[in-house]
Amino acid sequence: VIPVDFLISSGSLIPMTVLDKIGGMREDLFIDYVDTEWVWRAFHNGFKSFGICAAHMNHSLGDRPAKFLGKSVSLRSPLRHYYLFRNAVLLYKEPWIPLNFKLADAWRLGIKYVLYLLLATPRLEHFKMMNLGLWHGLIGKTGKL
């Protein structure tokens, strides 16, 4: 058992008493960063998260992987890229999200933006949806597109 900064919610066990105190996961984020936002909110309220190294679960992120410089990059649909970029920007606005996470995640998001433009097809659709996601995050639009 090790302490962790954040976890994906798939396979997580959360006591009901914690959900009563912190609240549920934000449905208005719909799909991406839902678990990340909840874990940071829990940390802000004094809770901690732990990973169990012996636990194993089959889980994949993305629709299909692509290879770039020998590394595997998870590619999603243009719609998933919309949510990924929108919800990242929405999270960066939250005061309980640590600045170091925001900066590191924004750096990774910038790299993903470039990689998705290089690797994902159709490129124009991905470009449009990522930019729409960034815009909607800036203006605070939530919920399903």
Side-chain angles (χ1 to χ4, degrees), residues 18 31-33 36 47 53 59 68 72 77 113 128 136 145:
V18 174
I31 194 161
D32 287 296
Y33 284 97
T36 305
F47 290 90
C53 296
H59 183 65
F68 183 77
S72 183
S77 69
Y113 186 89
K128 287 179 186 177
H136 282 176
L145 180 63

Side-chain angles (χ1 to χ4, degrees), residues 17-92:
T17 54
V18 174
L19 288 172
D20 290 341
K21 170 126 174 93
I22 305 304
M25 299 200 184
R26 287 181 48 186
E27 292 180 29
D28 64 325
L29 294 178
F30 179 56
I31 194 161
D32 287 296
Y33 284 97
V34 173
D35 36 20
T36 305
E37 184 278 333
W38 188 91
V39 168
W40 284 118
R41 191 165 16 110
F43 277 135
H44 180 73
N45 284 279
F47 290 90
K48 295 182 180 178
S49 292
F50 297 91
I52 311 290
C53 296
H56 296 280
M57 179 179 77
N58 290 329
H59 183 65
S60 64
L61 297 173
D63 299 326
R64 59 183 172 84
K67 291 287 186 190
F68 183 77
L69 300 177
K71 301 235 182 219
S72 183
V73 177
S74 293
L75 297 177
R76 297 169 176 92
S77 69
L79 182 62
R80 282 297 300 272
H81 285 154
Y82 164 82
Y83 289 116
L84 178 73
F85 283 81
R86 184 199 68 185
N87 292 352
V89 173
L90 290 170
L91 242 62
Y92 302 158

